[in-house]
Amino acid sequence: MRTVQLTVFWCFLVWMPGALGWSAMNGVLWPQPQKVIRSAEAFTLPRSGFRIEHGPGSAAGANCSVLQNAFRRYYLLILPRRVGVNHVKSSRKSLLRLLVSVKTAKHCAEYPNLGDSEAYHLVVQQENATLTADNVWGALRGLETFSQLVSEANDGSLIVNKTIIDDFPRFSHRGLLLDTSRHFLPLYILFQNLDAMSYNKFNVLHWHIVDDPSFPYQSVMFPELSNKGAYNPATHIYTQMDVAAVNEYARLRGIRVVPEFDTPGHVQSWNKGQPGLLTKCYAGTKPTGSYGPVNPVLNSTYNFMKRFFTEISHVFHDHYIHLGGDEVDFSCWRSNPVIKDFMAKMKFGTVYRKLESFYIKRILDIVTANKKGYLVWQEVFDNNVTLKADTVVEVWKNPHFDVELSRVTATGFRAVLAAPWYVNVIGYGQDWRRYYMMDPQNFKGSEAQKKLVVGGEACIWGEYVDATNIMHRLWPRASAVAERLWSDGSVNNTTKAYPRLASHRCRMLMRGIPAQPLFVGFCEQEYTGGWAKR
Amino acid sequence: MRTVQLTVFWCFLVWMPGALGWSAMNGVLWPQPQKVIRSAEAFTLPRSGFRIEHGPGSAAGANCSVLQNAFRRYYLLILPRRVGVNHVKSSRKSLLRLLVSVKTAKHCAEYPNLGDSEAYHLVVQQENATLTADNVWGALRGLETFSQLVSEANDGSLIVNKTIIDDFPRFSHRGLLLDTSRHFLPLYILFQNLDAMSYNKFNVLHWHIVDDPSFPYQSVMFPELSNKGAYNPATHIYTQMDVAAVNEYARLRGIRVVPEFDTPGHVQSWNKGQPGLLTKCYAGTKPTGSYGPVNPVLNSTYNFMKRFFTEISHVFHDHYIHLGGDEVDFSCWRSNPVIKDFMAKMKFGTVYRKLESFYIKRILDIVTANKKGYLVWQEVFDNNVTLKADTVVEVWKNPHFDVELSRVTATGFRAVLAAPWYVNVIGYGQDWRRYYMMDPQNFKGSEAQKKLVVGGEACIWGEYVDATNIMHRLWPRASAVAERLWSDGSVNNTTKAYPRLASHRCRMLMRGIPAQPLFVGFCEQEYTGGWAKR
């Protein structure tokens, strides 16, 4: 090895005493549940005969789409099809059934909401294991945990130890931000990520769907937005069917889809299909031909936004829409004579943050009228825009995000932390350890304030990733964030986490997620990229 | 975009004025040839009818495996199979044939050698284009260039401009180091990389096949080396057939395969199947149970090495074997009483570099007796080991590689530069620009010294890469090194290179290499990862 980085040597030392290879299915859990009691006693899952079924007392039954779909999915993950593996005679007792019971079936045909229970109670015992949960979302989390408990013995049989697990998430918003504007991400990448998210108990897809470079969302009301603003309107777009498919694929995994339509900045691509929406920039008395943020002084702007966000409110089903509001550059507004007149008329002086707030307030009102809540980037809060009580403020600025968390929660708003988890910003070595050490409640504030931090997000901005590299760059690095957001705060030792995460990574490979290696070593079943295993 | 890195903004500015998308087949050349004259006149390649054939005066014919294989390969690359593309009537004249002529057919059934001519002369004219070269290696380079010249017009026809190209490489050793010990790389990854290398005119695969963590090479003489030293002797090994397949796959692309068997350090995995080969480390008077470098004081060591390297000399066909010799840690030797006795007997005092040189000298003699040449890492030169005149010294240490290049070439040895091109060491942003700016002849020395720098290598050490992520991490970042090593030294402007490299990356995608994006944008044909294009 010819690198001078000390971290490498240090990691090597950590790694050397352990095993070189990580079994892909060895019963390791990720993220770590709140409470686990495992016994040495093990049961066999018969490859023919094992079933996942509704428990006798469950409120849900065969018409519960979420559970029916999950039973099949986890059956296939737990009992992968293999050629040549026959029934193995074992002296162990058999586990014949996992019985899944929920107290209410009301979410079976609904979308998950921020704050919904995801708690579950799992008892693996002979001969029926039981999984009980408040609702189907908790059942999904428990199914994932159960699937992770099952491992393959040397004789080819599937085994699971006698286990009792009580589990619930530490935070209720555990998000992943995907950016489909800087590079278009095909649907299969969104689906693959939703799968990977479910394997890591993430529950929010923050879909940063449009931005400056391209507008791939195909609007019904304003089709010219993508006709003119997409990289290629024939191939680089999300149709209404696509969005519906993503919403449903996510729902079946208990994952919320929160779309972001960021304004008034980050909107260059909007102007192509909606001319006049953006502010014309001036040099002296003449337009330069370039455009700045949304033009906030025209009625046409708000007429458009009202129709546009009304569509969005119906197309996306989560209670929340992310309205952006970050990084607004005032220089173009300052150059424009009509904007300057408006500033004078409104008595804003030269404080363009007041103009920004004026704009944002009206957008918030539009969204509120559609009975939706909103998330905003921290600038909206920083600029003292009046916000609804259920607003969630997303904190993204480094390095003083702890101060910002204090401020946001002191005002009584809920916060989501993204700043330390910009996983697009890669570095050499095991940067997952840095992500893992961050704690969203590590700031000065009361217990009540700490509780207002509802979670965090791993963000992978799209400058340098597309379908070629986004999967391995995200996984398993985002898994570190997943455990931080689910498990107890005391689960924060990277040395202890390493072998579990390495094993979890091999399991993701087995499940078709091309997660990259943490460090030197191997998986029993390596990635084959669709090639024959040779 | 929420990143504070200035580079990003700078790149954005560079990129904004240009096109957002890069046509995958727009006739862009990479690496840039030495001399190109392109005319506006264009010809059509009829989708049925165009042929690549031996020229009438060529020394090679239908029994030349290298060219026959290349003709088929490039025919498929130039005329990809498409559904629904019919013959397009065009007013343009047709180009019916590419006639390929070589002055000698002697390499048709041979392996390439360091210093073999790769020059070619390409004339694209109506109605027969001609490609002439000294030998088949030059013909291969010219075929790649011709394939890059062909682009697809909007009407679906394939067009190529009237062009004259005179081309040859600036450096004769243009290598890529792959490390198959820290992570095993399956055969298909080696093949994919050999394909990508040919698209970038690389001509040396430096196969760092074994190292501390694992020993995947399956030796005929010493099968226990991989039986005990591989991660998994059933799956994580290279059989003799595999090595032969890699050698031949490379040969057909004019690529040398230089295996590295690094000793006396980096050998932990050897001891498992060859007990007694390594030095026992001591604490005081007792062995600690751990091992250091190869034990250089035993006859059994040299008996083993003689038999082992004799096998290697036959299994690999290149004139050169890389013998390593880097990063030898003396602490274990210092602790061992038998080694200390030997040091005293040899009058080495406590200068363990003398012991290292003693060892290396004997290994060099073994390889020389097998009529092979060798490459070594720079430490071997630094330690004043007596080297054969044809030795190539590989310079890898940062940051003063220019000083080392001066020293090595001043002594009359040839040098290969790797130091600035450790592409495994990733950072955020467009690090290809840094690789691109490096010049292997940018050191203090005479013209004669400069000429002794025979090339360079892009190295991707295996700590953090395996089959999941190595392809996109390498490509197109290694392409920057490829152009530096092939094109004239004056071709070094990253702003000019950017659109060509972005386009070349899209072309690699089209050809099945999952090269990652350089920055914001898109390709007309995106990576589909084997999924249906939807």
Side-chain angles (χ1 to χ4, degrees), chain A residues 1-5 7-9 11-12 15-16 20 177 181-184 186-188 191-192 208 211-213 231-232 235-236 260 262 266 268 272 324 326-327 377 396 422 424-430 461-469 472-473 505 509 514-524 526-532 534, chain B residues 1-5 7-9 11-12 15-16 20 177 181-184 186-188 191-192 208 211-213 231-232 235-236 260 262 266 268 272 324 326-327 377 396 422 424-430 461-469 472-473 505 509 514-524 526-532 534:
Chain A
M1 190 195 53
R2 293 167 194 84
T3 54
V4 289
Q5 304 228 345
T7 50
V8 174
F9 289 96
C11 299
F12 202 81
W15 155 78
M16 281 302 283
L20 275 165
L177 179 149
S181 173
R182 290 178 177 81
H183 286 99
F184 180 78
L187 271 193
Y188 79 86
F191 293 154
Q192 269 201 320
H208 187 87
D211 202 302
D212 285 325
Y231 282 138
N232 183 334
T235 54
H236 289 60
E260 179 180 354
D262 191 357
H266 289 284
Q268 291 293 314
K272 294 172 187 166
D326 60 315
E327 294 189 317
W377 295 109
W396 69 272
Y422 271 31
N424 55 303
V425 184
I426 53 171
Y428 190 57
Q430 298 196 36
W461 297 97
E463 283 84 353
Y464 301 103
V465 288
D466 68 3
T468 60
N469 60 348
H472 2 86
R473 194 161 286 188
R505 177 249 165 179
L509 277 195
Q516 70 182 10
L518 293 177
F519 194 55
V520 176
F522 72 106
C523 298
E524 283 186 11
E526 298 281 9
Y527 179 67
T528 63
W531 288 61
R534 55 171 178 173
Chain B
M1 190 194 54
R2 293 167 194 84
T3 54
V4 288
Q5 302 229 345
T7 51
V8 175
F9 289 96
C11 300
F12 203 81
W15 155 79
M16 281 301 283
L20 274 166
L177 179 150
S181 173
R182 290 177 178 80
H183 286 99
F184 180 78
L187 269 193
Y188 78 86
F191 292 155
Q192 270 201 321
H208 188 86
D211 202 301
D212 284 325
Y231 281 138
N232 183 333
T235 55
H236 290 59
E260 179 181 352
D262 190 358
H266 290 283
Q268 290 294 314
K272 294 172 187 167
D326 61 314
E327 294 189 317
W377 295 109
W396 69 273
Y422 271 31
N424 55 304
V425 184
I426 54 170
Y428 190 58
Q430 297 196 37
W461 296 98
E463 283 85 351
Y464 300 104
V465 289
D466 67 3
T468 61
N469 60 348
H472 2 85
R473 195 159 287 187
R505 176 248 165 179
L509 278 195
Q516 70 182 11
L518 292 177
F519 194 55
V520 176
F522 71 107
C523 298
E524 284 185 13
E526 298 281 10
Y527 179 68
T528 63
W531 288 62
R534 55 171 178 174

Side-chain angles (χ1 to χ4, degrees), chain B residues 359-496:
Chain B
Y359 166 82
I360 293 273
K361 183 71 181 67
R362 294 194 61 173
I363 299 297
L364 300 186
D365 290 346
I366 288 169
V367 171
T368 302
N370 280 303
K371 299 192 170 44
K372 290 278 185 175
Y374 40 79
L375 287 97
V376 290
W377 295 109
Q378 70 181 71
E379 284 96 324
V380 174
F381 168 83
D382 294 344
N383 290 348
N384 299 316
V385 178
T386 307
L387 298 168
K388 281 201 297 178
D390 69 351
T391 302
V392 178
V393 178
E394 185 157 10
V395 175
W396 69 273
K397 288 192 178 183
N398 281 308
H400 303 300
F401 52 84
D402 56 332
V403 177
E404 183 74 3
L405 287 171
S406 280
R407 292 184 56 226
V408 170
T409 55
T411 329
F413 288 110
R414 283 179 292 183
V416 161
L417 179 63
W421 293 317
Y422 271 31
V423 297
N424 55 304
V425 184
I426 54 170
Y428 190 58
Q430 297 196 37
D431 51 6
W432 71 270
R433 291 174 187 264
R434 190 159 42 79
Y435 304 142
Y436 193 75
M437 297 305 295
M438 295 294 165
D439 194 306
Q441 292 181 330
N442 187 15
F443 63 88
K444 285 182 190 159
S446 65
E447 280 311 300
Q449 277 179 268
K450 303 286 169 93
K451 282 186 184 153
L452 286 169
V453 179
V454 294
E457 290 190 347
C459 303
I460 184 150
W461 296 98
E463 283 85 351
Y464 300 104
V465 289
D466 67 3
T468 61
N469 60 348
I470 193 169
M471 293 308 298
H472 2 85
R473 195 159 287 187
L474 261 178
W475 308 104
R477 292 162 71 241
S479 301
V481 182
E483 178 149 298
R484 175 59 45 248
L485 294 174
W486 179 280
S487 304
D488 191 74
S490 64
V491 181
N492 63 359
N493 182 309
T494 56
T495 307
K496 286 184 186 167

Side-chain angles (χ1 to χ4, degrees), chain A residues 214-228:
Chain A
S214 78
F215 196 103
Y217 172 73
Q218 190 175 55
S219 164
V220 177
M221 301 282 281
F222 302 98
E224 290 304 294
L225 287 168
S226 61
N227 283 344
K228 302 273 175 63

Side-chain angles (χ1 to χ4, degrees), chain B residues 211-261:
Chain B
D211 202 301
D212 284 325
S214 78
F215 196 103
Y217 171 74
Q218 190 175 56
S219 164
V220 176
M221 300 283 281
F222 303 99
E224 290 305 294
L225 286 168
S226 61
N227 284 345
K228 302 272 173 63
Y231 281 138
N232 183 333
T235 55
H236 290 59
I237 55 164
Y238 302 106
T239 66
Q240 292 293 312
M241 281 291 285
D242 295 338
V243 173
V246 169
N247 284 335
E248 181 64 3
Y249 201 94
R251 185 184 80 84
L252 291 173
R253 285 152 185 80
I255 297 173
R256 299 163 51 209
V257 177
V258 175
E260 179 181 352
F261 287 89

Side-chain angles (χ1 to χ4, degrees), chain A residues 46 56 113 142 180 191 232 256 275 289 293 397 421 500:
Chain A
N113 278 295
T180 56
F191 293 154
N232 183 334
R256 300 163 52 209
K397 288 192 179 185
W421 293 317
R500 273 194 306 118

